[in-house]
Amino acid sequence: MDALMPREDRGGPAQPLLLAQGLRKHFPVPGGLLGRSGKVVRAVDDLSLSVAKGETLGVVGESGCGKSTVARLLIRLIKPDRGTMVLDGDPVDEPHGITINELRRQVQMVFQDSYASLNPRLTIAETLAFAPRAHGLPASEARARVRDLLDKVGLDPENYAGRYPHELSGGQRQRVNIARALALRPRLIILDEAVSALDKSVEAQVLNMLVDLKTELGLTYIFISHDLNVVQYLSDRVLVMYLGKIVELGSVEAIYGNPQHPYTRALLSARPSMEPRRRTKEAPIQGDPPNPIDPPSGCRFRTRCPFAEDVCARVEPPLADTGAQAVACHMRVAGSGHSKAAAP
Amino acid sequence: MSDLLQVRDLHVKFVTPDRTVNAVNGVSFDVKRGETLGILGESGSGKSVTLRSILRLHPEHRTRWGGSIKLEGDEILTMGRSALSDLRGQRVAMIFQEPATAFDPVFTIGHQIAETVRRHTGKGEADSWKRARELLEMVRIPSPAQRLKAYPHEMSGGMRQRAMIALALSCNPALLLADEPTTALDATVQIQVLLLIRELQREFNVGVIFVTHDIGVAVEVSDRIGVMYAGKIVELAPVEQMVDAPRHPYSRGLLASTVHDGMRGQRLEAIPGAPPDLAEVPTGCSFAPRCKFVQPSCVARPPDLRDVGGSHLVRCVLADALEASVAA
Ligand SMILES: Nc1ncnc2c1ncn2[C@@H]1O[C@H](COP(=O)(O)OP(=O)(O)OP(=O)(O)O)[C@@H](O)[C@H]1O
Ligand SMILES: Nc1ncnc2c1ncn2[C@@H]1O[C@H](COP(=O)(O)OP(=O)(O)OP(=O)(O)O)[C@@H](O)[C@H]1O
Ligand code: SF4
Ligand code: SF4
Ligand SMILES: [Mg+2]
Ligand SMILES: [Mg+2]
């Protein structure tokens, strides 16, 4: 198998590109006797998702809700405590499936910090040629690929190939990071706050480029961001997380046009108004997100939810399909015992 | 409302053996009591340097100053040591993105606020603590009596930010300087803190300068907005004017390239290129290399900040011609 050719589509357009089932990651909390407190951060708890071929799946949620942990689990930078993954029909890291190395070739990641992710001692050309060379591409072909990659991300190869990271602006460095993610011709790119550190005028350039690359190369994106407007702009479907759990998942139209979960609603109406004559009068919810070390029992949002009732503290709401979207809230589960729920 | 602060033709240049940074290149604005001036600009445009100049917080030996900053008539740039410490301790307060820098980690929140109150008002121990408690209540910290005993690291980000606002207001300042105070906060917490600042500003009748790179945030808090680019204010207008009818090509570009509701599927109007290097003193319009309207007069000399009517100032040779064209 030539590791440098684009991977063939295997299961056809209807087969999800990536399926994750019951992913869990708990981090031990240092401290206490012998440096082990016995407590854990429940960063990601039994999370399942699927990514369709050619779509952009947006992931939103507040700081610490587990977005980056999900990303790192999906490319196996960290090992899940539990859960399985399937890439275009092939189980990952299982006897009859594909290896983690193969997963990491087909799924690439771009991080927020454009500087830290580039080796300061390598020129841009050396950085971009590194992985293709390691996969056995001859030097002359690697040079051609570097030129092609720089062209693709809008950097003139003549001008940029020989530069070092510190000789680039933040926007240019992020273009290089994207070029590097493309170097092995992946199918899925996970963008974790990839435009968040950029100035707005530069962010717009990079967003336009991401849209173009996706069409040109037939890519699939997972786009993680705390910027709800940018997620709305790019995504086909959106996943909303709160304290390690999915609270709502649906089409971008459903999530932004008709949000069902009280947290999604709060998050959307917490966006600053762009209309000076209609400024926000009241914050949609009070207080800070609770500590993920000891998340609230039952529904993790209950400590800030204006609709919380007894059942919310006792029973964890399942992620239930409501038609246009899936929602984890007792108000949407018939017969849950919540006064606003339909009769069973 | 009378002018509380007057900044005139402020220049700030940092000079070190290996490089020079022309960080602020002729900034002028006023702030009235009870008013919020938002300063909007991208990274490196000189927002923080401008703000910190008001407290003269730059390293003395390598900072070159020009122009004037007057608070209630007193010139800050030539102020003596004791007047300066008075200014910093009582007349002007500052809040930042990272509240950790405002608090000493080894003392409780209550101790630090009460101490500031005591120093400022000469109140006794008990009264100072009482005032500290009132301040925590005012910034909506739940169970304030217990929180007085908390150390900074024992509070969540949002709580620390509120406590920093309480500390800033404890000396009853005339002017509050806010440098991206909500940037590190989560969306649902950010909006709470923005509303709090808006409310306290009215209650205490302080002047506020609020620096941010987020247009939405600037719109939520500001009465007027000044847009900075390469160390200059390129446009200054009442918030409604700025949103409805921005005139400067850079302000328009910034608004057009900021993604918001309803832009899905459209191509974004990005501004090409990147901001200029601040090593050189600009000889023409600093935006010229990125501006689609550029013409010879733009680069001949730096354009002036001109009043185009309705307290709307624009630094562009085409300020009048661009009026008729559709807003970005
Ligand atoms: N290696 C680790 N060891 C211990 N705890 C961790 C580790 N990585 C993440 N965490 C914790 O797991 C939780 C989820 O973190 P994660 O980085 O996934 O959040 P996030 O949603 O990406 O947040 P942000 O928006 O701030 O990037 C947090 O409480 C974090 O402190
Ligand atoms: N003490 C200093 N010595 C030398 N250069 C400085 C100093 N402080 C700031 N600068 C430079 O001055 C310029 C303006 O910086 P400033 O911090 O005002 O930007 P800003 O608009 O606040 O940006 P950001 O949004 O990134 O905070 C930058 O090029 C910065 O590197
Ligand atoms: S399950 Fe209960 S607490 Fe959770 S979001 Fe629904 S109503 Fe609120
Ligand atoms: S002065 Fe000229 S270059 Fe500068 S913004 Fe106006 S039109 Fe553009
Ligand atoms: Mg993250
Ligand atoms: Mg700054």
Side-chain angles (χ1 to χ4, degrees), chain B residues 103 107-136 147-149 163 166-171:
Chain B
F103 287 106
F107 295 110
T108 62
I109 298 281
H111 175 89
Q112 297 184 57
I113 297 178
E115 182 60 27
T116 313
V117 171
R118 198 185 53 69
R119 232 185 309 132
H120 175 65
T121 60
K123 280 190 171 131
E125 178 85 4
D127 283 344
S128 300
W129 277 85
K130 190 163 155 265
R131 179 69 186 148
R133 197 195 134 145
E134 284 167 12
L135 284 161
L136 289 194
R147 290 296 176 173
L148 285 174
K149 292 178 228 143
L167 181 68
L169 294 175
S170 64
C171 63

Coordinates of all heavy atoms in Angstrom, one line a residue, chain B residues 103 107-136 147-149 163 166-171:
Chain B
F103 N -4.0 40.3 41.9 CA -4.0 39.8 43.3 C -2.7 39.2 43.7 O -2.1 38.5 42.9 CB -5.1 38.8 43.5 CG -6.5 39.5 43.5 CD1 -7.4 39.3 42.4 CD2 -6.9 40.2 44.6 CE1 -8.6 39.9 42.4 CE2 -8.2 40.8 44.6 CZ -9.0 40.6 43.5
F107 N -2.4 36.4 50.0 CA -3.4 37.0 50.8 C -4.8 36.7 50.4 O -5.0 36.5 49.2 CB -3.2 38.5 50.9 CG -1.9 38.9 51.5 CD1 -0.9 39.5 50.7 CD2 -1.7 38.8 52.9 CE1 0.3 39.9 51.3 CE2 -0.5 39.2 53.5 CZ 0.5 39.7 52.7
T108 N -5.7 36.7 51.3 CA -7.1 36.4 50.9 C -7.6 37.6 50.1 O -7.1 38.8 50.2 CB -8.0 36.3 52.1 OG1 -8.0 37.5 52.9 CG2 -7.6 35.1 53.0
I109 N -8.7 37.4 49.3 CA -9.3 38.4 48.6 C -9.8 39.6 49.5 O -9.6 40.7 49.2 CB -10.6 37.8 47.8 CG1 -10.2 36.7 46.9 CG2 -11.4 38.9 47.2 CD1 -9.6 37.2 45.6
G110 N -10.4 39.1 50.6 CA -10.9 40.1 51.6 C -9.8 41.0 52.1 O -10.0 42.3 52.1
H111 N -8.7 40.4 52.5 CA -7.6 41.2 53.0 C -7.2 42.3 52.0 O -6.9 43.4 52.4 CB -6.5 40.2 53.3 CG -5.2 40.9 53.8 ND1 -5.0 41.2 55.1 CD2 -4.2 41.5 53.1 CE1 -3.8 41.9 55.2 NE2 -3.3 42.0 54.0
Q112 N -7.1 41.8 50.8 CA -6.5 42.8 49.7 C -7.5 43.9 49.4 O -7.1 45.0 49.2 CB -6.1 42.0 48.5 CG -5.0 41.0 48.8 CD -4.6 40.2 47.6 OE1 -4.1 40.8 46.6 NE2 -4.6 38.9 47.6
I113 N -8.8 43.6 49.4 CA -9.7 44.7 49.1 C -9.8 45.6 50.3 O -9.8 46.8 50.2 CB -11.1 44.1 48.7 CG1 -11.0 43.3 47.4 CG2 -12.1 45.2 48.5 CD1 -12.2 42.6 47.0
A114 N -9.9 45.0 51.5 CA -10.1 45.8 52.8 C -8.8 46.7 52.9 O -9.0 47.9 53.3 CB -10.2 44.9 54.0
E115 N -7.7 46.2 52.6 CA -6.4 47.0 52.7 C -6.5 48.2 51.8 O -6.1 49.3 52.2 CB -5.3 46.0 52.4 CG -3.9 46.6 52.5 CD -3.6 47.1 53.9 OE1 -4.1 46.6 54.9 OE2 -2.7 48.1 54.0
T116 N -6.9 48.0 50.6 CA -7.0 49.1 49.6 C -8.0 50.1 50.1 O -7.8 51.3 50.1 CB -7.5 48.6 48.2 OG1 -6.7 47.4 47.9 CG2 -7.3 49.6 47.2
V117 N -9.2 49.7 50.6 CA -10.2 50.6 51.2 C -9.6 51.4 52.3 O -9.7 52.6 52.4 CB -11.4 49.8 51.7 CG1 -12.4 50.7 52.4 CG2 -12.1 49.2 50.5
R118 N -8.9 50.7 53.2 CA -8.3 51.4 54.4 C -7.3 52.4 54.0 O -7.3 53.6 54.5 CB -7.6 50.3 55.3 CG -7.4 50.8 56.7 CD -6.6 49.7 57.5 NE -5.3 49.3 56.8 CZ -4.3 50.1 56.7 NH1 -4.3 51.3 57.2 NH2 -3.2 49.7 56.0
R119 N -6.4 52.1 53.1 CA -5.4 53.0 52.6 C -6.1 54.2 51.9 O -5.6 55.4 52.1 CB -4.5 52.3 51.6 CG -3.0 52.5 51.9 CD -2.1 51.9 50.9 NE -2.5 50.5 50.5 CZ -2.6 50.1 49.3 NH1 -2.4 50.9 48.2 NH2 -2.9 48.9 49.0
H120 N -7.1 54.0 51.2 CA -7.7 55.0 50.4 C -8.6 55.9 51.3 O -8.6 57.2 51.1 CB -8.6 54.4 49.3 CG -9.4 55.5 48.5 ND1 -8.7 56.4 47.8 CD2 -10.7 55.7 48.5 CE1 -9.6 57.2 47.3 NE2 -10.8 56.8 47.7
T121 N -9.4 55.4 52.2 CA -10.4 56.2 53.0 C -9.9 56.5 54.4 O -10.5 57.3 55.0 CB -11.7 55.4 53.0 OG1 -11.5 54.2 53.7 CG2 -12.3 55.2 51.7
G122 N -8.9 55.7 54.9 CA -8.5 55.9 56.3 C -9.5 55.3 57.2 O -9.5 55.5 58.4
K123 N -10.4 54.4 56.7 CA -11.4 53.7 57.5 C -10.6 52.8 58.5 O -9.5 52.3 58.1 CB -12.4 52.9 56.7 CG -13.5 53.7 56.1 CD -14.5 52.8 55.5 CE -15.7 53.6 55.1 NZ -16.2 53.4 53.7
G124 N -11.3 52.4 59.6 CA -10.7 51.4 60.5 C -10.9 50.0 60.0 O -11.5 49.8 58.9
E125 N -10.3 49.0 60.7 CA -10.3 47.7 60.3 C -11.7 47.1 60.0 O -12.0 46.6 58.9 CB -9.6 46.9 61.4 CG -9.5 45.4 61.2 CD -8.3 45.0 60.4 OE1 -7.5 45.8 60.0 OE2 -8.2 43.8 60.1
A126 N -12.6 47.3 60.9 CA -13.9 46.7 60.8 C -14.7 47.3 59.7 O -15.3 46.6 58.9 CB -14.7 46.8 62.1
D127 N -14.6 48.6 59.5 CA -15.3 49.3 58.5 C -14.8 48.9 57.1 O -15.5 48.8 56.1 CB -15.2 50.8 58.7 CG -16.2 51.3 59.8 OD1 -17.1 50.5 60.1 OD2 -16.0 52.4 60.3
S128 N -13.5 48.8 57.0 CA -12.9 48.4 55.7 C -13.4 47.0 55.3 O -13.7 46.8 54.1 CB -11.3 48.4 55.8 OG -10.9 49.6 56.2
W129 N -13.4 46.1 56.2 CA -13.9 44.8 55.9 C -15.4 44.8 55.5 O -15.8 44.1 54.6 CB -13.7 43.8 57.0 CG -12.3 43.2 57.0 CD1 -11.2 43.8 57.6 CD2 -11.8 42.0 56.4 NE1 -10.1 43.1 57.3 CE2 -10.4 42.0 56.6 CE3 -12.5 41.0 55.7 CZ2 -9.7 40.9 56.1 CZ3 -11.7 40.0 55.2 CH2 -10.3 39.9 55.4
K130 N -16.1 45.7 56.2 CA -17.5 45.8 55.8 C -17.7 46.3 54.4 O -18.5 45.8 53.6 CB -18.2 46.8 56.8 CG -19.7 46.8 56.7 CD -20.3 47.5 58.0 CE -21.7 48.1 57.6 NZ -21.7 49.5 57.3
R131 N -16.9 47.3 54.1 CA -16.9 47.8 52.7 C -16.5 46.8 51.7 O -17.1 46.7 50.6 CB -16.0 49.1 52.6 CG -15.9 49.7 51.3 CD -17.2 50.4 50.9 NE -17.1 50.9 49.6 CZ -18.2 51.0 48.8 NH1 -19.4 50.7 49.2 NH2 -18.1 51.5 47.6
A132 N -15.5 46.0 52.0 CA -15.0 44.9 51.1 C -16.2 44.0 50.8 O -16.4 43.6 49.7 CB -13.8 44.2 51.7
R133 N -16.9 43.7 51.9 CA -18.0 42.8 51.7 C -19.1 43.4 50.8 O -19.6 42.7 49.9 CB -18.6 42.5 53.1 CG -19.5 41.3 53.1 CD -20.3 41.2 54.3 NE -21.7 40.9 53.9 CZ -22.5 40.1 54.6 NH1 -22.1 39.7 55.8 NH2 -23.7 39.8 54.1
E134 N -19.4 44.7 51.0 CA -20.3 45.4 50.2 C -19.9 45.3 48.7 O -20.7 45.1 47.8 CB -20.5 46.8 50.6 CG -21.3 47.0 51.8 CD -21.1 48.5 52.4 OE1 -20.6 49.3 51.6 OE2 -21.6 48.7 53.5
L135 N -18.6 45.5 48.5 CA -18.1 45.5 47.1 C -18.3 44.1 46.5 O -18.7 44.1 45.3 CB -16.6 45.9 47.1 CG -16.4 47.4 47.3 CD1 -15.0 47.7 47.7 CD2 -16.7 48.2 46.0
L136 N -18.0 43.1 47.2 CA -18.2 41.7 46.6 C -19.7 41.5 46.3 O -20.0 40.9 45.3 CB -17.7 40.7 47.6 CG -16.2 40.5 47.8 CD1 -15.9 39.2 48.5 CD2 -15.5 40.6 46.5
R147 N -16.6 34.4 50.8 CA -15.6 34.6 49.7 C -14.5 35.6 50.2 O -13.4 35.5 49.6 CB -16.3 35.2 48.5 CG -17.1 34.2 47.8 CD -16.3 33.1 47.3 NE -17.1 32.1 46.7 CZ -16.6 31.0 46.0 NH1 -15.3 30.9 45.9 NH2 -17.4 30.2 45.5
L148 N -14.8 36.4 51.1 CA -13.7 37.3 51.7 C -12.6 36.5 52.1 O -11.4 37.0 52.1 CB -14.3 38.2 52.8 CG -15.2 39.3 52.5 CD1 -15.8 39.9 53.7 CD2 -14.5 40.4 51.6
K149 N -12.8 35.3 52.6 CA -11.8 34.5 53.2 C -11.1 33.6 52.2 O -10.2 32.9 52.5 CB -12.3 33.6 54.3 CG -12.8 34.4 55.6 CD -13.4 33.5 56.6 CE -14.7 34.1 57.1 NZ -15.7 33.0 57.4
A163 N -14.0 39.7 41.4 CA -13.3 40.2 42.6 C -12.3 41.3 42.1 O -12.1 42.3 42.9 CB -12.5 39.1 43.2
A166 N -14.1 44.5 41.8 CA -14.4 45.0 43.2 C -13.2 45.7 43.7 O -13.3 46.8 44.3 CB -14.8 43.9 44.1
L167 N -12.0 45.1 43.5 CA -10.8 45.7 44.0 C -10.5 47.1 43.2 O -10.2 48.1 43.9 CB -9.6 44.8 43.7 CG -8.2 45.2 44.1 CD1 -8.1 45.3 45.6 CD2 -7.1 44.3 43.6
A168 N -10.8 47.1 41.9 CA -10.6 48.3 41.2 C -11.5 49.4 41.6 O -11.1 50.6 41.7 CB -10.8 48.0 39.7
L169 N -12.8 49.1 42.0 CA -13.7 50.1 42.4 C -13.5 50.5 43.9 O -14.1 51.5 44.3 CB -15.1 49.6 42.2 CG -15.5 49.4 40.7 CD1 -16.9 48.8 40.6 CD2 -15.5 50.7 39.9
S170 N -12.7 49.7 44.6 CA -12.6 50.0 46.1 C -12.0 51.3 46.4 O -12.2 51.9 47.4 CB -11.8 48.9 46.7 OG -10.5 48.9 46.2
C171 N -11.3 51.9 45.4 CA -10.7 53.2 45.7 C -11.5 54.4 45.1 O -11.1 55.5 45.1 CB -9.3 53.3 45.2 SG -9.1 53.1 43.5

